[in-house]
Amino acid sequence: MGAARGARRGPVPAARRGGPVTTAVTTVRPPAETDPHDPRFARSASGLLHTFNVAGVLTAADVHVAVRLGRLGGERDDTVLLAVALVVRGIRHGSVCVDLAAVSRTVLGEGDELLDVSALPWPEPGAWRAACERSPLVAVGAVDAPAGRPLRMADGLLYLDRYWRQEEQVRIELRARARAEPPAVDLDRLRAGLARLFGEPAGQQGPDRQRLAAAVSALRRVTVLAGGPGTGKTTTVARLLALLHDQPGPPPRIALAAPTGKAAARLAEAVREHTADLPAPDRARLGTLSASTLHRLLGRKPGSSSRFLHDRLNRLPYDVIVVDETSMVSLTLMARLLEAVRPDARLVLVGDPDQLASVEAGAVLGDLARAPGTPEPALDSTLREIRALGPGEAPIVRGVVTLDRTWRFGGTIAALARAVQSGDADAALGYLRGGADDLVFVEPADATALDSRDPAGLEELRADVVAAARALSEAARAGEIEAALRALDEHRLLCGHRRGPYGVSRWSAEIERWLADAGLGPGETDDAEWYPGRALLVTANDYDLALYNGDTGVVIRDGTGVRAAFARGGTPELIPTGRLAGVQSVHAMTVHRSQGSQFTRVTVVLPPAESPLLTRELLYTAVTRARSAVRVIGTEQAVRIAVGRPVSRASGLRGRLGG
C-alpha cells in the first residue's frame, strides 16, 4: 500500500525472511508522490508519522490514534508517537505488543505487496525505548501506578495497556491453576479405565500419546492437547470424558465449545461419532453431548462486544470444559474464558498450534504449546505409576501433550504437511511434483494473469466444481438433506486473498459462470435467490437462530417448501429462508474462514510471492483441510516463500509463562 508505480525491485533483507528464499519487494513511495486526496494518507501528519504513513507501513487510522493520544497526554516526541502508531498497527496484524528492537525487521507492509522498509529512518532502539519509558503515555513495568496511562512497557515490549492486562490475566490464571491442589482422582479406577478404553501399554510400538493425553487431562486442571488434523484429538476427548464419568461421585457437568459455529458443530459430531465406539457402559454414562460457540457459552452481554454474562463474579457451572480449535481463540477471548472457568474445573484446550492463529490479536495456543517450563514431579510420578508414561519417555511440561500420528489422511498429503511444518521447501515441492494421486500441483505459465481458460489443470478444477455442485443440486431438489450437506463439503476452493486475481471474489464470480454454463443455477420455477442447491455462507452472527459467522448450509426443497439446512452435529437445522440475514453464496472461501472445516477435496489458490499473506501457516492450514485430495495452484516461488516464512506475532506470553 502506498508503493509507487514502477518502483524499483530489490531482495528482501535476510533478517525479515523466514528462510533462504528471495522475493520481489516494493520500495517505499517518496513523499513528493503522495496524493493529498488519497484516504490512505493522513494529511495532518508530519515528521516520522508522515514518512512511515507515506511508505505504506502505517495507515491513516494508525496515525490518527497516535496523534490523538499524543495531544491528550502532552507527548510531542516524534519517536514515541511512531511507537504508539506501530503498536496500534501491530494489533491489526495480530500482535499484542511491539518489540522496538526488532520491529524494523518484521514489518511487511499494509497492502498486497511486501515493502522494503530498510531505508526508512528507524530510531536507534536503545534511545527509542528510553524515550518511550520517559513518556507520560507509558507505564513502565508490571505495576499499576501511575494509573490511566494508555501504554505499557514491560520486559522490553510496548503494549496497549489493555492487552498487557489481558496477557497478565492469562498468565496469572494459568499459574494459579498449576499451583492449585490437583483434582481428586481414584487412581485404580483411572488405571482400569485407561486399560479398558486405550488398551494395555505393554507391547505397543512407541508411546500411546492419546492414552497419555487422557491421563494428563484427568490429573491436571489445565491441559493443552495439541496435534494436526486427523491425529485423534476428538477420539481422545471422547475417551477422556468417559474416564471422568467413570470416577466416583456425581457425573461431571461437561461443556464442549469452539470459536465458531462450524467448528462447534464438527466437535459435537466428532465426539458423538467416537462415543458410539465406546464400550456400552461408558457410552451410556456419557450420553449425548452438544457443543456451542465460546461466545454463546460465556453468554452474550447486551451492549458489550468484549464482556460476557459469565465472568469472575458469575462463573460457568461446568466441571469440565473442552475447547476445540483453540488456535482461533484470541488473547481477549482467552482472558474472558479463563476468568469465567471455576478454579476447581478442568479445562482442556484442543487445537493445532501450526495452523493460522486468530484473526484478532494473539497466538495463545502457540504460546501455551511452546512455552518453556519444568516437569512436575508429582504428576510425573503418578503418570508412571498408572503406566501412562513409560520409563524412557520425557516428562510432561505445562500439561502439553502433542499427538503426532495422523489417522485421517496419509500418503502424500501427510508428507506434504510435515514438510511445510518443518520448513523444508525442497521436500514440499518434491511431493507436489511427485505425481501422486492425492496431490496435484498446477503451475500457471503466467501467474500474474491467472486465467481459468488457459493454464493446464484448471479444466480439472472446473470439472470438480461442477460435479460437486451437481451432486449438491440433485440432493437438495430431492429433499435429501443429509446427502446435500455431505455434497456441500465434497470440494472447496480456498484462497489467501479476499479480492484481486487470487481472491475469493474473483474466483466466486468465475465459478458462478461455470455453474451457469452447466445449468446449475435457479430453474424456471425457482426463486432467483432461494433456489434448491444454493450453497450458503453465514457472514454475521445471528444469536436468535444460533447461526454464526463462517457457518455453511444449503437451500433444500422438502415437503414444506424451500428451507435452508445447516449441519449441527446431529439432526440438521432447517430454517425458513425468510428468517435469514447476513448470508451469501459460497463457492470459494479464505483459508482463514475454512479453519474448523474439512472437505473431501480441496483446491488452494496461492497468493503471489509478493503477498504478505503468503505464510507457512496459510499453506499448512489450507492443505490440511482435505481428507483425500489436494490441488495447489501457484508458482514454485510462491511455495518456497510460503514454506520459508512462518508467521511472527509479537507476544510476551510465551516468555512470561516460562519465567
Side-chain angles (χ1 to χ4, degrees):
M1 184 174 186
R5 292 183 180 178
R8 293 183 297 107
R9 301 282 181 174
V12 178
R16 286 179 49 222
R17 285 182 265 145
V21 294
T22 59
T23 184
V25 298
T26 305
T27 56
V28 301
R29 181 197 292 268
E33 297 186 18
T34 60
D35 180 352
H37 302 291
D38 192 324
R40 295 174 297 177
F41 305 119
R43 284 175 286 175
S44 60
S46 61
L48 290 176
L49 290 178
H50 173 71
T51 301
F52 279 72
N53 180 207
V54 167
V57 175
L58 301 175
T59 65
D62 302 331
V63 173
H64 291 317
V65 171
V67 170
R68 182 62 172 165
L69 287 178
R71 287 174 180 169
L72 291 173
E75 177 58 75
R76 297 182 179 181
D77 189 316
D78 223 15
T79 62
V80 174
L81 296 181
L82 174 63
V84 174
L86 288 170
V87 172
V88 176
R89 176 196 186 277
I91 296 297
R92 291 188 296 99
H93 286 259
S95 294
V96 298
C97 58
V98 165
D99 183 350
L100 298 180
V103 67
S104 64
R105 302 190 300 273
T106 57
V107 168
L108 294 178
E110 282 292 336
D112 292 337
E113 291 185 315
L114 294 169
L115 299 176
D116 184 354
V117 297
S118 58
L120 286 171
W122 294 96
E124 192 280 320
W128 199 6
R129 175 175 173 177
C132 290
E133 290 178 342
R134 293 191 302 267
S135 173
L137 298 177
V138 181
V140 180
V143 293
D144 291 332
R149 299 195 176 188
L151 287 96
R152 172 86 56 162
M153 179 73 77
D155 301 320
L157 303 174
L158 186 63
Y159 296 78
L160 288 180
D161 189 67
R162 166 189 171 186
Y163 287 93
W164 178 83
R165 291 179 182 277
Q166 290 174 357
E167 193 173 274
E168 181 72 355
Q169 180 183 349
V170 170
R171 183 189 70 83
I172 291 172
E173 293 280 0
L174 292 174
R175 182 186 65 181
R177 284 169 166 78
R179 293 179 175 179
E181 191 72 19
V185 175
D186 185 321
L187 291 183
D188 291 334
R189 295 280 287 269
L190 179 59
R191 185 187 296 108
L194 289 170
R196 182 177 68 255
L197 297 170
F198 294 92
E200 292 289 350
Q204 293 178 347
Q205 297 297 317
D208 185 343
R209 305 294 293 180
Q210 292 182 339
R211 176 191 180 96
L212 175 61
V216 172
S217 301
L219 295 167
R220 215 172 179 276
R221 297 287 181 198
V222 179
T223 306
V224 176
L225 177 53
T231 51
K233 298 189 294 294
T234 50
T235 301
T236 305
V237 167
R239 295 177 183 178
L240 162 66
L241 298 179
L243 283 176
L244 297 180
H245 267 276
D246 188 43
Q247 286 291 304
R253 292 164 292 182
I254 296 170
L256 304 179
T260 67
K262 180 71 172 180
R266 285 191 56 79
L267 172 61
E269 181 180 7
V271 169
R272 276 196 285 266
E273 177 185 339
H274 295 303
T275 298
D277 298 330
L278 296 175
D282 293 294
R283 190 166 62 246
R285 281 193 294 265
L286 199 54
T288 300
L289 295 172
S290 59
S292 71
T293 65
L294 277 172
H295 287 79
R296 193 171 184 84
L297 176 72
L298 293 172
R300 185 165 59 109
K301 192 170 188 177
S304 175
S305 60
S306 61
R307 291 288 179 179
F308 299 93
L309 292 177
H310 289 286
D311 54 19
R312 189 176 306 280
L313 301 178
N314 182 26
R315 305 273 191 170
L316 289 164
Y318 301 103
D319 304 302
V320 182
I321 298 175
V322 178
V323 180
D324 197 15
E325 298 292 348
T326 309
S327 64
M328 300 165 65
V329 178
S330 67
L331 175 65
T332 299
L333 189 54
M334 181 60 72
R336 299 293 174 259
L337 173 66
L338 287 173
E339 73 175 2
V341 176
R342 294 199 337 259
D344 60 342
R346 290 180 175 88
L347 178 62
V348 183
L349 302 174
V350 184
D352 185 352
D354 292 314
Q355 284 188 21
L356 286 166
S358 164
V359 175
E360 300 177 49
V364 180
L365 181 64
D367 288 338
L368 296 180
R370 299 180 178 117
T374 57
E376 303 168 38
L379 175 65
D380 184 70
S381 175
T382 303
L383 290 172
R384 297 186 191 281
E385 178 185 347
I386 62 175
R387 302 176 67 193
L389 198 60
E393 295 175 37
I396 298 300
V397 174
R398 297 196 171 280
V400 178
V401 182
T402 302
L403 307 183
D404 51 15
R405 179 177 177 182
T406 300
W407 301 87
R408 177 177 299 150
F409 51 73
T412 320
I413 298 177
L416 173 63
R418 288 193 293 269
V420 173
Q421 276 180 304
S422 62
D424 191 338
D426 289 334
L429 284 164
Y431 293 124
L432 285 168
R433 290 170 169 160
D437 293 337
D438 58 349
L439 192 58
V440 176
F441 188 33
V442 180
E443 299 180 80
D446 182 2
T448 62
L450 200 59
D451 190 327
S452 62
R453 297 177 296 277
D454 182 26
L458 292 197
E459 282 303 315
E460 295 180 5
L461 166 61
R462 178 172 181 163
D464 276 353
V465 169
V466 171
R470 179 167 284 112
L472 178 65
S473 178
E474 291 174 353
R477 291 181 182 279
E480 298 172 357
I481 300 170
E482 293 185 356
L485 290 171
R486 286 195 300 271
L488 182 65
D489 292 337
E490 184 62 27
H491 177 270
R492 189 57 50 85
L493 181 67
L494 303 179
C495 305
H497 289 185
R498 294 183 184 276
R499 292 173 292 277
Y502 306 88
V504 170
S505 57
R506 174 263 165 100
W507 282 97
S508 293
E510 196 79 58
I511 292 172
E512 287 281 4
R513 287 193 290 271
W514 295 348
L515 300 186
D517 291 344
L520 292 173
E524 293 182 0
T525 61
D526 293 329
D527 184 282
E529 182 179 12
W530 304 110
Y531 58 90
R534 182 192 175 196
L536 302 174
L537 174 69
V538 178
T539 59
N541 293 336
D542 188 326
Y543 294 96
D544 293 331
L545 296 178
L547 293 179
Y548 302 96
N549 188 2
D551 285 358
T552 56
V554 58
V555 178
I556 61 98
R557 177 185 290 137
D558 62 8
T560 63
V562 174
R563 293 188 289 175
F566 293 88
R568 279 292 174 266
T571 303
E573 185 78 16
L574 297 178
I575 299 174
T577 57
R579 298 188 63 191
L580 294 177
V583 297
Q584 65 185 38
S585 296
V586 56
H587 304 297
M589 62 170 49
T590 61
V591 178
H592 262 104
R593 187 162 258 167
S594 73
Q595 287 183 271
S597 300
Q598 290 290 322
F599 309 98
T600 304
R601 301 189 312 284
V602 162
T603 297
V604 184
V605 177
L606 289 182
E610 294 81 9
S611 171
L613 298 179
L614 189 61
T615 63
R616 181 181 300 172
E617 289 77 3
L618 181 104
L619 179 56
Y620 172 81
T621 302
V623 300
T624 55
R625 297 309 91 203
R627 297 189 190 95
S628 63
V630 173
R631 177 188 294 106
V632 176
I633 301 174
T635 64
E636 174 182 337
Q637 186 185 28
V639 174
R640 289 190 178 277
I641 292 294
V643 174
R645 186 194 293 150
V647 169
S648 177
R649 288 193 168 193
S651 165
L653 182 59
R654 188 180 308 186
R656 293 165 76 187
L657 286 171

